[in-house]
Amino acid sequence: MSFSFTAEQEELRQLVRRFCEEKSSSEHVRRLMDSDDNRDDKIWSQMADQLGLQGLSIPEAYGGSGFGPVELGIVLEEMGRTLLVAPYFSTVAIAGQTLALSDDEAAKQRWLPGIADGSLTATLAIAEESGSWELDSVETTAAQAGDEWSLTGTKMYVLDGATADLLLVVARAGDELGLFAVDGAAAGVTRSKLDSVDLTRDLGRVELDGVSAVRIGSGDATEMLVKATDLILAAFAAEQIGGAAKCLEMAVDYAKIREQFGRPIGSFQAIKHKCADMLLEVESGKSASYYASSVVAAGDHESSIAAALAKAYCSTAFTHAAKENIQIHGGIGFTWEHDAHLYLKRAKSSELLFGSPARHRERLADLVGI
Amino acid sequence: MTVQQTNIPSEIESDDDFRARLRTFFTDHHPGKPPRDPKERLAHQKAWNATMFDAGFSGPSWPKEFGGMELSFAHQVIYQEELARARVPGPMGTGLGIAAPTIIRYGTQAQKEEFLAPMLRGDKIWCQGYSEPGAGSDLPSLRTTARREGDEYVVNGQKVWTTQATNADVLFTLVRTGTQESRQKGITYLLIDAHAPGVEVRPLRDITGGAGFAEVFFDDVHVPVSHRIGEENEGWPLVRTSLGHERAAGAMNQAAVYRRVLDELTALARERGRASEPLIRDQLADFEIRVRIMRYNAARIISDILTKGEPGAASSVSRMLITAFEQDLHEFAIGLLGPAGLLTKDSPHAVQRARWLTGFLRTRASTIGAGTSEIQRNTVAEQVLKLPHDPGMPPR
C-alpha cells in the first residue's frame, strides 16, 4: 500500500489548482449560479484544449491520455476546492468511466472521443422517484423491436440530466439490467432542471416515453455497473474531501484575522478545537480517498469496500467541515454574500447523492461480513 | 555489559529476507500468553525483552552500539508489521519511548553506556516522573526541587500518575533547579534511582480498581550530578525529543492491534445475535471505517517519510483518532453486552474476563495521559494549522 504521489502527479495537482483558482473564482461561480448555464464554454474548451482534462482518464485508443482513477481523483479534489461549475463530474467521472468499462467497442469508438475532446457532454441515469441508486430499484423498462430498443420510465436526480448531450440510462430489459445510450434531444425525452439546494450543480429529471435507445454491451450489465459505481464513488469522495479541505482553510484563515475581545478568535480554545477536529477528518478523509482511488481500478471486492468507505467518510467530513466553517465565520457565514453557504449546499447534496453515508456503511457491513 | 548481536547480518539484506528472518524468530521464540499474576507477568515480559535483545531483535531505530538494530525506516515498518502479525509484545515501554531518545540525543557517552542497553533488554524498568499534583498540563509549573551540593543534587518533592512506578528501577524526572518564576527556564532533567534512600512509592488505586500507577515522594534524595541529562536549568527542551520515525512505523503496529480488537468485538456481537440489528451494524461499520482509516493513515505517514523525508499532517492527527476510537469502541461493547457488560473480572458470569468493562474504564485515561486531548488539539491547531497562540497560556 503506497500513498505517495509521483512528481508528475504533484505537477498535475498544481496545474489544476492554479487553473481552478483562476477560472473558478467566487465571482465566477456566482455568475454561473445565477444564470441558466451549468458551464462557461470558454473555460470548458480551455480545460479540454489546453489541459486535456476531459480526456485524462479516457484510454488513448479513444483520444484520451489514458490515466486512471488516481489522476482523476487529483483533478476532482482540486475542482471540489473551488466548486467549479461544469459538467465535468457527470461527463468524465460518471459517463466517461462507465463507457470506458463497457466491452462495447462500437459504443466506445462512437462516444469516448467526443468526451475526451470536450465536444460531448454526458451523464448516467440510475435513480428514479424512489431516490435510490440501488440497481435493483430500477423500474425503467427497455423494450426490443428488431434491432431497436425503446425506453420508458422516469429518471430523477440525474447530474446535468437536463443538459447532457448523451444520456446513459439504466433500464430493465426483461430479466436483465441493461445500459442504454439515449440522445438527449431524441423524440420522447422530456427533461427539466430540478430546483434543488446546490446551485453550483444541476440535477435533472428525465422522462422517457418510448424513446429510441442503443444498447451498450450485451447481457446483464449489473457487474459492470457495480464496477462503474465504485469508480464513481471514489471520484466523488475525492471531490468532497477537496471541498472539506477548502472549508477548513477558510475557517482557519478567518480565525487568524477576526478579532473579538481584543484578540484573534483563533487564539480561543473553542475555535482551535473545532479546527483540530476538522483537520483530523480532512486528513483521514484524504487517506480514505487516496486509498480508494488507488484500488478501484482493480474492480474487485476490495474496490467496493474502499469506495463505500471513502464515500461514507468523506461525505460526513465535508458536511461537518462546511457547517463548522459557517459557525466559525459567525454572522457573516450565514449571509448570502459569503461563500460558506455554497460549500454547505454542495456538501449536503453530495452527501445524499449516490447513497447516503448510512447506506454506504450498511453496504460496507455487508461487504466485510458484519 | 557486552552487547551481542548474533542475528545481525553484516550485509544489507532484502526486505523479503528481513521479513522472513523476523518471522522465523518470532515463531521459534514466541513467549506464549502472559500470566495473569502481575509479578509473573512482569517476569514474563522481562524474559521476552531479554530474548529479543540477546538475539538482536530490539530497538529497531536505535544505534547498534547500544544494542539496537539501526534499521532503515522501511525495515522499521516491516519490523512493526511482523511484530503485530506474530502477536508478541514489542520492546516498548515508557522509558524506551520517551527517555531513550533523549539520552541518545543529549546524553554523555558514559550515560549512554550505563543506561541504554539495560533499558532495552528489560533489566531495568524505567518510569516517567514529569507530572505533579499541581502540574499536569501546565508542566512548567512543577515544584519538585533539586538543590546542588557538590557533585550531588538533593531532591525534594512529589510526583504523581507515575505509571508502573511500583516496578521501577529508574525514574526519569523533571525537577526545579531555578526559581518558581523561572518556569521552564529553571528545569533540569534528572535520572533518579528508584531504590535510593528517601524515595517512597505509594501505589495509587485507579478507576479500574487496579494500581497501574503511583505517587512518588522524594525526601532529601541524593542524586549524582553525572545522572543529569543536558545542562542545569536546560532540561525543558529535552522533553519533546522522541523517536519520530520509530513512532510513525509503530502506527502500523497499532492499526493492526485495533484491527484485531474490532474483529473480536464483531465476533462477540455475532455470537450474541446482535450483529444484524441495524443500529448495531451501523456502529460496527463505523468502527470498521475508522480502523481501516487508521491503517491508511499509517501507510500515508510511512509513504510521506519514504518519499519526502518527513511525515505530513496525517501524523499529527493519528493520536486523536486512536484515543477517540478506543473510548468509543469499549463503551459500545459494554452497551452491546447490556447488564452483563457491567460485571467485573471477579464475577464468574463476566464476559471475556470483563475486558470490555476494564477497557471502558481504562481508556478514560487515553484522553488525559501524555497530554490531554484538549492540549493535544491546541498543539495541532497552533503547530499544524498555525492558529494564533492563546495569550492565556504561557509562551512555548
Side-chain angles (χ1 to χ4, degrees):
Chain A
M1 185 166 29
S2 175
F3 280 98
S4 48
F5 293 107
T6 63
E8 289 75 18
Q9 288 167 338
E10 295 286 1
E11 257 174 56
L12 173 69
R13 182 184 293 284
Q14 291 313 317
L15 186 77
V16 179
R17 178 166 298 190
R18 277 198 303 275
F19 184 83
C20 289
E21 280 171 359
E22 196 184 312
K23 309 289 179 182
S24 180
S25 62
S26 163
E27 198 184 9
H28 196 263
V29 168
R30 283 166 181 270
R31 186 168 69 66
L32 287 171
M33 207 171 88
D34 292 337
S35 73
D36 285 336
D37 300 322
N38 65 345
R39 76 181 203 203
D40 175 320
D41 289 345
K42 203 173 127 201
I43 292 172
W44 184 255
S45 315
Q46 286 172 339
M47 279 167 60
D49 302 341
Q50 294 170 17
L51 304 181
L53 295 185
Q54 283 89 330
L56 191 81
S57 60
I58 287 171
E60 287 172 278
Y62 309 104
S65 45
F67 289 105
V70 173
E71 285 79 11
L72 184 62
I74 291 170
V75 171
L76 286 166
E77 191 181 332
E78 295 305 319
M79 290 179 172
R81 284 173 59 89
T82 63
L83 302 175
L84 179 79
V85 181
Y88 188 88
F89 194 82
S90 53
T91 300
V92 178
I94 299 181
Q97 291 200 109
T98 304
L99 263 179
L101 266 185
S102 86
D103 56 2
D104 190 329
E105 195 54 37
K108 290 200 266 195
Q109 297 222 5
R110 183 167 170 190
W111 289 298
L112 284 177
I115 290 179
D117 68 20
S119 61
L120 182 80
T121 61
T123 190
L124 169 68
I126 301 175
E128 301 178 355
E129 304 281 0
S130 71
S132 161
W133 272 263
E134 304 304 316
L135 294 171
D136 55 16
S137 71
V138 169
E139 290 179 3
T140 296
T141 54
Q144 191 175 20
D147 285 349
E148 297 285 302
W149 288 90
S150 72
L151 304 186
T152 300
T154 301
K155 293 292 182 180
M156 287 284 285
Y157 315 111
V158 184
L159 264 62
D160 299 309
T163 50
D165 302 323
L166 172 70
L167 303 168
L168 300 180
V169 179
V170 180
R172 300 219 159 269
D175 293 341
E176 291 176 348
L177 204 60
L179 181 67
F180 298 86
V182 170
D183 183 339
V189 176
T190 311
R191 44 193 195 159
S192 57
K193 232 179 244 187
L194 294 166
D195 291 323
S196 76
V197 70
D198 180 6
L199 300 170
T200 63
R201 179 135 64 199
D202 285 353
L203 294 181
R205 172 187 162 92
V206 181
E207 277 179 60
L208 304 157
D209 184 11
V211 176
S212 160
V214 176
R215 185 161 189 177
I216 298 173
S218 56
D220 190 84
T222 303
E223 197 183 323
M224 191 263 273
L225 287 167
V226 168
K227 280 187 194 173
T229 304
D230 290 344
L231 288 165
I232 294 165
L233 291 174
F236 209 13
E239 190 198 81
Q240 290 171 72
I241 209 63
K246 181 67 184 179
C247 287
L248 171 61
E249 281 175 30
M250 288 164 76
V252 166
D253 287 347
Y254 186 71
K256 286 176 184 171
I257 55 159
R258 169 68 171 169
E259 293 196 359
Q260 288 280 267
F261 307 104
R263 55 175 167 130
I265 59 169
S267 67
F268 290 101
Q269 286 207 11
I271 301 293
K272 280 194 192 351
H273 292 189
K274 278 184 187 295
C275 292
D277 287 337
M278 286 158 84
L279 181 74
L280 164 68
E281 292 179 10
V282 166
E283 289 303 324
S284 298
K286 282 184 183 174
S287 299
S289 159
Y290 299 162
Y291 182 70
S293 293
S294 73
V295 299
V296 281
D300 58 15
H301 189 65
E302 182 69 17
S303 303
S304 294
I305 292 172
L309 185 160
K311 172 64 168 78
Y313 194 88
C314 295
S315 279
T316 309
F318 189 11
T319 301
H320 180 235
K323 289 192 290 196
E324 294 290 52
N325 187 33
I326 291 179
Q327 178 68 21
I328 290 169
H329 275 86
I332 188 81
F334 187 68
T335 64
W336 190 266
E337 283 71 27
H338 199 277
D339 288 346
H341 73 101
L342 303 183
Y343 284 87
L344 176 69
K345 291 167 181 175
R346 173 67 78 85
K348 203 55 182 175
S349 80
S350 303
E351 182 185 317
L352 300 180
L353 294 173
F354 282 95
S356 68
R359 175 60 197 131
H360 285 292
R361 283 196 295 272
E362 195 186 340
R363 279 189 58 223
L364 182 91
D366 287 339
L367 289 164
V368 302
I370 292 171
Chain B
M1 78 179 278
T2 352
V3 174
Q4 295 172 352
Q5 290 170 320
T6 48
N7 281 331
I8 299 292
S10 51
E11 306 270 315
I12 294 169
E13 63 185 327
S14 74
D15 290 2
D16 288 346
D17 288 349
F18 179 58
R19 195 182 288 281
R21 198 158 58 82
L22 284 170
R23 203 167 284 187
T24 307
F25 176 77
F26 288 142
T27 308
D28 292 352
H29 297 85
H30 198 287
K33 263 198 160 179
R36 290 187 73 174
D37 176 77
K39 273 205 175 122
E40 287 174 30
R41 185 185 280 263
L42 179 66
H44 175 92
Q45 171 73 31
K46 281 179 125 174
W48 169 239
N49 274 1
T51 304
M52 276 199 290
F53 181 90
D54 293 344
F57 283 123
S58 256
S61 68
W62 282 37
K64 283 187 183 176
E65 191 189 350
F66 308 117
M69 300 166 83
E70 214 169 305
L71 297 177
S72 68
F73 181 63
H75 276 196
Q76 287 180 41
V77 175
I78 293 172
Y79 179 85
Q80 298 292 354
E81 283 172 352
E82 289 303 315
L83 209 58
R85 184 193 140 91
R87 304 185 74 152
V88 292
M92 287 298 282
T94 319
L96 292 167
I98 305 171
T102 310
I103 296 171
I104 289 171
R105 179 145 176 218
Y106 299 102
T108 62
Q109 187 62 26
Q111 287 170 340
K112 290 177 190 175
E113 281 167 16
E114 180 179 353
F115 295 116
L116 290 174
M119 186 201 302
L120 188 54
R121 195 173 185 273
D123 295 340
K124 299 264 187 193
I125 305 287
W126 284 55
C127 274
Q128 173 182 281
Y130 289 175
S131 296
E132 298 187 5
S137 293
D138 183 14
L139 201 50
S141 70
L142 63 87
R143 289 175 177 278
T144 294
T145 58
R147 183 179 76 243
R148 179 88 182 243
E149 278 183 10
D151 55 2
E152 286 187 331
Y153 285 104
V154 181
V155 179
N156 283 284
Q158 184 196 347
K159 296 288 174 182
V160 76
W161 320 128
T162 319
T163 307
Q164 290 299 331
T166 42
N167 298 321
D169 301 301
V170 184
L171 299 151
F172 54 101
T173 64
L174 294 174
V175 296
R176 183 156 301 286
T177 37
T179 61
Q180 194 62 38
E181 294 69 37
S182 63
R183 291 189 55 86
Q184 61 265 53
K185 292 193 178 72
I187 288 174
T188 298
Y189 201 107
L190 216 52
L191 307 183
I192 301 178
D193 177 358
H195 309 296
V199 177
E200 191 195 344
V201 178
R202 294 186 201 155
L204 201 56
R205 203 164 178 205
D206 65 34
I207 194 171
T208 67
F213 43 62
E215 295 175 289
V216 181
F217 296 86
F218 303 110
D219 180 15
D220 279 340
V221 178
H222 289 249
V223 180
V225 170
S226 62
H227 286 184
R228 181 191 74 208
I229 310 292
E231 297 302 312
E232 187 170 297
N233 290 330
E234 290 173 20
W236 182 252
L238 279 55
V239 173
R240 291 179 199 282
T241 319
S242 73
L243 291 168
H245 287 194
E246 179 163 315
R247 197 173 285 184
M252 199 46 115
N253 185 329
Q254 254 178 328
V257 168
Y258 286 115
R259 161 83 273 160
R260 200 154 62 217
V261 174
L262 178 58
D263 287 345
E264 287 157 2
L265 178 61
T266 306
L268 181 66
R270 212 176 283 126
E271 273 166 33
R272 300 183 75 89
R274 305 287 309 272
S276 56
E277 291 173 28
L279 292 179
I280 301 286
R281 267 165 65 81
D282 186 69
Q283 191 62 66
L284 287 172
D286 181 56
F287 289 137
E288 181 72 30
I289 288 175
R290 286 151 80 181
V291 86
R292 281 173 187 259
I293 282 178
M294 252 179 238
R295 189 165 64 93
Y296 302 161
N297 276 342
R300 202 166 135 230
I301 294 164
I302 290 163
S303 293
D304 282 345
I305 291 177
L306 289 172
T307 55
K308 296 173 196 154
E310 56 182 287
S315 69
S316 59
V317 299
S318 54
R319 185 168 164 239
M320 282 158 54
L321 184 75
I322 287 167
T323 50
F325 175 83
E326 61 181 8
Q327 289 187 339
D328 293 349
L329 182 89
H330 286 99
E331 184 160 17
F332 167 81
I334 57 173
L336 177 82
L337 291 168
L342 305 176
L343 301 178
T344 66
K345 65 179 189 306
D346 301 320
S347 166
H349 305 288
V351 178
Q352 297 181 342
R353 284 192 197 170
R355 65 180 284 199
W356 306 105
L357 174 65
T358 308
F360 164 68
L361 297 169
R362 178 181 50 77
T363 55
R364 292 301 97 201
S366 308
T367 46
I368 300 172
T372 63
S373 55
E374 286 75 18
I375 295 294
Q376 177 85 6
R377 280 172 171 72
N378 288 354
T379 308
V380 165
E382 291 180 17
Q383 293 185 351
V384 183
L385 297 173
K386 308 290 179 202
L387 281 169
H389 188 69
D390 184 343
M393 302 280 285
R396 288 178 179 283

